[in-house]
Amino acid sequence: MADTALMPIPGQVDPVPVARDITPRADGRVDLLGLPKAQIRALLAEAGLDEKQAKLRAKQVFHWIYHRGVTDFEAMTDIAKTMRPWLAERFVIGRPEVVEAQHSVDGTRKWLLRTADGHDFEMVFIPDADRGTLCVSSQVGCTLNCRFCHTGTMKLVRNLTAGEIVGQVMLARDALGEWPKGSMAGLEESEDAGHYSSDGRLLTNIVMMGMGEPLYNFDNVKGALQIVMDGDGLALSKRRITLSTSGVVPMMARCGEEIGVNLAVSLHATNKEIRDEIVPLNKKYGIEELLEACAAYPGASNARRITFEYVMLKGKNDSDDHARELVELIRRYKLPAKVNLIPFNPWPGAAYDTSTPERVKRFSEIVFEAGISAPVRTPRGRDIDAACGQLKTAAERKSRAERDREAAGVAAA
Ligand code: SAH
Ligand code: SF4
């Protein structure tokens, strides 16, 4: 826990330790990963380059980092040979450390990663016939204690920095071998320079659905996704990125306005009593408020629907009546919605069971018959604990009493 400093997180109930923007390194060099181009430029100017040089070099370095996946300044062949060691003395281009990489029988891959100050977190890659989705974490642990979620049993250790968030995408590209080969000159001349298409790539989509609540780490998630979407950065379309929130209502409009990605909302219940129990944040931001914020979400339309995630818990939220209530809610708020039904993924000590396949099917049919798409999400990577809600690293566990207290605290704040 050497390199963390206390800083309040916006929207957070209590201040928790988060990393500073630039995490100091023992060798005094600055890690450029995750910094916006303007900040790289300012750092280069601070180190002694004149404005014009700083601007040019920042652009080149940014391009090498995000378009080419380069981590060594020596490889930046359009930067003068003498300049490269000068950069290497002052800067590094980092990656989260890979502690363990696992492969599921169904092709899903999970990586256990470690921050420079020694905290573990996970990312998951899910290949499908027509796409490849990277599930990215935003925090180490989570404050929100959803009763069915394994991550929720971990203490929130800290927010991930923008570098640690974008670093997951970089690592996935490294692992999948997806950086362009060949000379920089060719790239600059090609029509597509700065605008890669996702055609032919394995990693085509990103979901902010790993560990943590992304809207409780808004600034860093925004900074990371801006680099992911930047034409000079990773150049992924905002239409291929989905952010999932458990319902942090006050941050939802800003998410739409300032980040502009697709929204997924972890609804999971149709009435206060059940949602209060399984998503304790509901005691703070109730269903009505949440659905009003969804109706007002910038950019939502019939062409870009909001996804409502609904985890199917046996005997808890999976009856025909619940399905009908769900339809009624979506209609009442006139939401451009689709529903994603997630069979509960079990973990040791969980208080719930998975709904039967017949129950899930019937629930899905009722929603579908009302004209709302309601696919069932096939669990992926369960054998390596990579499925939704199974991510949990070895960080300290909350006691049950602590979890109850936190849940009550969320409600009271
Ligand atoms: N914190 C964010 C994003 C991460 S969780 C959120 O809660 O939305 C991604 C999705 O997995 C959420 O819809 C979450 O509710 C769901 N989930 C959590 N635990 C699960 C479990 N054990 N089985 C199935 N889905 C789960
Ligand atoms: Fe946190 Fe999301 Fe898990 Fe809830 S479901 S505890 S918000 S990670």
Side-chain angles (χ1 to χ4, degrees):
M1 285 287 288
D3 296 326
T4 47
L6 257 189
M7 215 171 84
I9 302 174
Q12 183 61 50
V13 181
D14 299 307
V16 294
V18 291
R20 283 183 285 249
D21 260 354
I22 296 179
T23 310
R25 291 167 46 94
D27 63 8
R29 294 186 292 174
V30 172
D31 189 350
L32 298 180
L33 192 70
L35 303 185
K37 209 186 295 155
Q39 197 172 355
I40 296 180
R41 179 177 159 184
L43 285 167
L44 292 176
E46 239 172 72
L49 297 189
D50 68 40
E51 273 306 318
K52 208 170 140 229
Q53 274 281 322
K55 186 173 176 195
L56 171 68
R57 298 304 176 204
K59 187 171 161 38
Q60 288 172 314
V61 167
F62 197 83
H63 196 95
W64 280 107
I65 296 178
Y66 296 109
H67 259 177
R68 309 282 291 191
V70 157
T71 51
D72 180 0
F73 293 101
E74 253 332 295
M76 302 186 177
T77 47
D78 61 343
I79 294 182
K81 244 190 152 74
T82 49
M83 177 103 221
R84 296 179 217 158
W86 182 89
L87 286 166
E89 264 168 42
R90 291 162 179 80
F91 305 104
V92 294
I93 301 155
R95 292 285 190 272
E97 178 194 342
V98 177
V99 181
E100 194 186 359
Q102 285 174 280
H103 233 121
S104 157
V105 289
D106 69 15
T108 301
R109 297 170 72 170
K110 181 171 90 168
W111 288 266
L112 176 64
L113 308 176
R114 185 166 292 165
T115 65
D117 57 343
H119 302 304
D120 291 352
F121 60 105
E122 294 181 320
M123 70 171 188
V124 176
F125 179 69
I126 307 139
D128 277 303
D130 60 337
R131 65 173 69 186
T133 307
L134 187 70
C135 180
V136 170
S137 290
S138 56
Q139 301 182 309
V140 180
C142 188
T143 43
L144 289 175
N145 289 312
C146 301
R147 274 280 155 87
F148 47 82
C149 173
H150 209 187
T151 310
T153 66
M154 284 174 72
K155 286 192 176 178
L156 175 70
V157 178
R158 70 164 169 82
N159 280 343
L160 292 173
T161 63
E164 288 157 350
I165 296 167
V166 82
Q168 297 171 60
V169 187
M170 305 297 279
L171 266 180
R173 280 242 168 123
D174 294 346
L176 298 169
E178 294 210 291
W179 299 111
K181 312 240 167 5
S183 80
M184 180 82 170
L187 189 88
E188 291 289 37
E189 282 157 19
S190 86
E191 271 179 19
D192 279 347
H195 297 281
Y196 283 138
S197 81
S198 51
D199 294 352
R201 284 182 186 266
L202 292 171
L203 199 176
T204 58
N205 292 59
I206 290 179
V207 292
M208 295 301 306
M209 295 188 186
M211 294 165 70
E213 168 49 58
L215 294 188
Y216 271 173
N217 186 14
F218 187 82
D219 291 342
N220 292 341
V221 166
K222 176 180 163 185
L225 291 182
Q226 278 175 337
I227 291 174
V228 169
M229 293 184 288
D230 189 333
D232 291 331
L234 288 159
L236 211 79
S237 156
K238 65 178 182 180
R239 287 169 202 285
R240 292 184 171 273
I241 303 174
T242 301
L243 183 148
S244 174
T245 180
S246 53
V248 184
V249 169
M251 302 306 281
M252 284 168 56
R254 283 189 64 194
C255 176
E257 279 154 17
E258 298 175 33
I259 311 179
V261 293
N262 303 321
L263 184 70
V265 171
S266 296
L267 189 61
H268 303 319
T270 53
N271 65 50
K272 178 169 167 54
E273 193 194 338
I274 301 177
R275 198 163 190 271
D276 276 357
E277 174 190 325
I278 65 179
V279 184
L281 184 65
N282 194 64
K283 296 180 199 159
K284 189 166 183 195
Y285 308 118
I287 294 179
E288 293 74 22
E289 246 182 294
L290 176 59
L291 296 182
E292 276 162 20
C294 289
Y297 187 70
S301 66
N302 282 334
R304 266 186 101 198
R305 291 171 187 273
I306 294 176
T307 303
F308 287 98
E309 294 159 288
Y310 198 97
V311 62
M312 300 289 294
L313 306 171
K314 188 177 191 172
K316 178 52 72 180
N317 64 354
D318 63 351
S319 71
D320 289 359
D321 280 346
H322 292 136
R324 285 188 276 267
E325 281 165 25
L326 180 59
V327 169
E328 207 276 313
L329 279 176
I330 289 171
R331 286 199 176 138
R332 192 186 320 151
Y333 290 87
K334 300 189 176 56
L335 297 165
K338 56 186 176 198
V339 172
N340 224 324
L341 298 174
I342 319 176
F344 170 65
N345 293 307
W347 40 272
Y352 303 103
D353 283 327
T354 311
S355 305
T356 62
E358 299 73 44
R359 192 85 294 279
V360 177
K361 185 160 173 279
R362 184 65 202 125
F363 195 105
S364 164
E365 281 166 2
I366 293 172
V367 180
F368 185 75
E369 280 159 14
I372 300 162
S373 152
V376 179
R377 198 189 284 173
T378 321
R380 298 288 302 268
R382 268 190 184 170
D383 54 331
I384 56 167
D385 284 343
C388 296
Q390 292 188 315
L391 304 185
K392 181 186 174 296
T393 52
E396 206 181 330
R397 219 187 132 86
K398 291 170 194 162
S399 69
R400 185 54 193 256
E402 243 173 318
R403 290 165 63 187
D404 288 343
R405 231 181 2 256
E406 278 194 13
V410 164

